[in-house]
Amino acid sequence: MENIEMNRKSVQLLQEWDPFKFGAESYDTEAADVVAALQGIDDPSELAKVIQIVYEHSFEQWIPFENCVAIAYKLIAVKFEAKCII
């Protein structure tokens, strides 16, 4: 059950992030890709690279790496929080 909650919170975070100001509902595919990657990544820099690639590929717009690192830290915090729930 923890995975479902982690995925839901992660998608919500990514939608709220809204890096291109297109509206939260504009990133369903990207959020799914990032959450899938999050399953196997514990390093914020590595996750940030994935986020940057996924979003830039979809929207053909550049995102500063620091912005990707900031959201990556939040996502990894959600992941570890989910692992600690008994």
Side-chain angles (χ1 to χ4, degrees):
M1 194 56 104
E2 72 188 34
N3 244 3
I4 294 167
E5 182 66 12
M6 181 198 83
N7 292 352
R8 189 186 63 73
K9 282 185 175 179
S10 298
V11 167
Q12 186 179 356
L13 263 178
L14 287 162
Q15 288 174 334
E16 289 169 3
W17 182 45
D18 192 6
F20 301 118
K21 307 298 178 235
F22 292 156
E25 64 288 338
S26 302
Y27 307 100
D28 291 343
T29 303
E30 296 73 27
D33 290 348
V34 170
V35 170
L38 177 61
Q39 309 294 329
I41 298 174
D42 292 338
D43 176 75
S45 294
E46 191 180 334
L47 183 60
K49 286 178 198 161
V50 171
I51 293 167
Q52 193 175 44
I53 289 165
V54 165
Y55 280 78
E56 287 181 3
H57 177 76
S58 291
F59 295 98
E60 297 180 347
Q61 291 188 46
W62 180 77
I63 304 175
F65 189 67
E66 313 81 75
N67 296 8
C68 298
V69 169
I71 191 70
Y73 270 102
K74 290 178 183 176
L75 291 167
I76 287 173
V78 166
K79 178 180 179 176
F80 284 111
E81 179 186 299
K83 283 183 176 179
C84 292
I85 297 171
I86 300 173

